[in-house]
Amino acid sequence: MVNSVVTGSASGIGKAVCEQLEAQGDRVVGIDIRDAEINADLSTTEGRQKAIDETIELTGGAVDRLVLAAGLGGQVTDGPLLLSVNYFGTVDLLDGLCDAMKGRSGASAIVVSSNSSQFGSDADYDNPIVHALLDHDEAKARELIDPSDGGMGYMMSKHAIVRTIRRRATQWGSDGIRLNAIVPGMTDTPLFQGVLKNPEMAQLVDTLPSPLGRVATPEEIAKVIAFMLSDAASYIHGSVVWADGGMDAVIRPDKF
């Protein structure tokens, strides 16, 4: 039996991933703040540890596939909360479940980022908030960000998470675990619908190029994730896979 663990399992991309993995026969343990097999608040240290402990208990300490999809959108006007959920709620579970994946044949982990992670890319690399995130200093990161700037919290957290998984590629590879990130574009999820209800953010969305002329469905992104987790992607490691309908190619045609 393949044990798969998915955060953000109650809705959006996380829910679609659960359905995809269950359809192929995996035993899936879902984690979310509510309506999941494991209910945990990933904005807190205690909630993250609860999620880790209960996951290990339910899987017998054996995790084959890990998908970290839980997160808040930029329309949430609480910068510190966004950093805590999107970054630390991802990295703490990633590191906390690493030992449960070691020695498992075909072990693979996927972190869900966002194409927003590169919208201000040149500045983001030296942003002090990003450095605090990469140093895993939650208190400092929360102190540095504007308390009401959810958009900044979203971009910084999603940018830093990609750099974090790439920095772990050597160690995780030597442990026999493939670790990658997926970067979705606009996807028809409750998070995206929340963005559209925010007048300022909806106006920004209207300015973004969409070469395919539509948003993605959660199921489309879930299929890419399922592929990345599978043995068919056995040599993809430390990579960032873009699934944004070509938006990044239009915005940054000469950068990749």
Side-chain angles (χ1 to χ4, degrees), residues 4-5 11 32 35 51 97 112 114 122 126 140-141 154-155 175-176 181 190 204 211 225 230 238 252:
S4 292
V5 178
S11 65
D32 214 312
D35 301 325
L97 294 172
V112 178
S114 164
D122 291 336
D126 290 320
K140 183 176 181 180
Y154 186 76
M155 287 191 293
D175 288 335
L204 173 62
I225 292 173
S230 75
R252 305 185 308 143

Side-chain angles (χ1 to χ4, degrees), residues 92-124:
D92 284 359
L93 265 67
L94 184 69
D95 291 345
L97 294 172
C98 181
D99 284 346
M101 302 186 76
K102 291 179 182 178
R104 305 290 295 174
S105 177
S108 181
I110 304 289
V111 170
V112 178
S113 182
S114 164
N115 64 350
S116 299
S117 63
Q118 290 291 66
F119 281 179
S121 58
D122 291 336
D124 292 348

